[in-house]
Amino acid sequence: MEDAASGGIAGEKASLRRRLMADRALLTPEQRAAGGRALRDAILELPQVQMAGTIAAYYSLASEPDTHGLVYALWKRGGYVLLPLLRPDADLDWASYEGPDSLRPGPRGLAEPGEPPRGLDAVARADLVLVPALAVDRSGVRLGRGGGSYDRALARVGPEVPTIALVYDGELLDKVPADGHDQRVRLVARPSAGITRLPVT
C-alpha cells in the first residue's frame, strides 16, 4: 500500500514538474533576466543576508530565475559564497565562488567553482541557504527537478538557518505533493511579491 501511495505521489510530482517546466519554457530571456534582477534586489535587502558571513547559493541554468547577478553581488559585498558541486551519486559538495572567472563547466550543464571542495557538510556551516525550486507550497514543501540533491543538502542545515527558494510569480502554490524525505524551505522569493516567510512545521 505504501509503495502504491509513493508511486502516486511520484506521478503527481512528475505531472506538476512537466507543467511548470513547460510554463517556464515560454518565458523570454528578458523576462527571466528581469525576474532575476527583482529577486536579487529583494534578497540583498534581507537583514539575514546582510548579516550572513557565509551564504550557500547556486548558479542558475536554463529557465531558472537568473542568479548570476545575485551571486556576484553577494561575493562583491565581501561575503563568503559557496556554490554546489554535483557528485556522481547526485549529492552536493560545496566550493567557494571567487568571481565569474572561477567557474568551470560541470555535469548536466552546471557551472561549478574550480576551487577545492569543502565537503558535504559545508552547507551546514552556512548562515543562509538559497535553493532552486520549480514550485513551493504555503507549508514550505519544495518541488525540485527530481534528483533529490537538495533534499539531502537541506537535511544537513540547522532549523534556525534561513532557507530561501527562488521561484517565479505563480509558483507559490497552495499544495505541492510531498514524500517523507522532502525537505521544506522557510522562505520563498518571488519577483513581484518579494520575500514570503512560510509557516514551516
Side-chain angles (χ1 to χ4, degrees):
M1 195 71 173
E2 187 174 326
D3 287 344
S6 177
I9 291 171
E12 290 177 37
K13 285 184 176 183
S15 177
L16 180 57
R17 200 175 278 123
R18 283 193 298 271
R19 178 173 68 79
L20 291 164
M21 292 182 75
D23 289 345
R24 284 188 172 188
L26 299 175
L27 295 171
T28 66
E30 292 77 19
Q31 288 172 314
R32 291 197 291 270
R37 286 192 297 271
L39 289 169
R40 176 199 64 198
D41 294 345
I43 288 168
L44 290 176
E45 289 175 6
L46 271 177
Q48 297 99 317
V49 169
Q50 295 171 10
M51 294 185 296
T54 299
I55 294 176
Y58 67 97
Y59 215 66
S60 60
L61 75 161
S63 61
E64 292 176 340
D66 191 302
T67 65
H68 300 184
L70 171 60
V71 168
Y72 183 77
L74 292 168
W75 175 68
K76 285 296 284 184
R77 285 170 39 157
Y80 186 55
V81 180
L82 295 172
L83 295 182
L85 301 169
L86 184 63
R87 291 164 33 121
D89 64 358
D91 210 338
L92 297 178
D93 204 328
W94 301 84
S96 61
Y97 171 82
E98 300 295 341
D101 293 339
S102 71
L103 297 174
R104 65 184 183 197
R108 302 184 192 176
L110 297 170
E112 296 185 336
E115 299 297 307
R118 300 284 179 173
L120 301 180
D121 290 331
V123 68
R125 297 187 289 275
D127 301 303
L128 185 136
V129 182
L130 303 175
V131 299
L134 288 169
V136 177
D137 75 14
R138 296 188 180 276
S139 68
V141 174
R142 170 190 160 273
L143 181 70
R145 291 180 176 267
S149 301
Y150 271 92
D151 286 318
R152 284 188 260 181
L154 289 170
R156 301 180 178 112
V157 176
E160 302 304 317
V161 175
T163 51
I164 309 175
L166 278 60
V167 298
Y168 291 107
D169 298 325
E171 294 178 346
L172 176 60
L173 309 179
D174 290 333
K175 188 72 174 172
V176 166
D179 288 307
H181 67 268
D182 288 327
Q183 299 293 313
R184 298 171 189 250
V185 294
R186 299 177 181 105
L187 303 100
V188 61
R190 293 171 289 164
S192 295
I195 309 294
T196 302
R197 185 171 296 278
L198 302 170
V200 177
T201 54

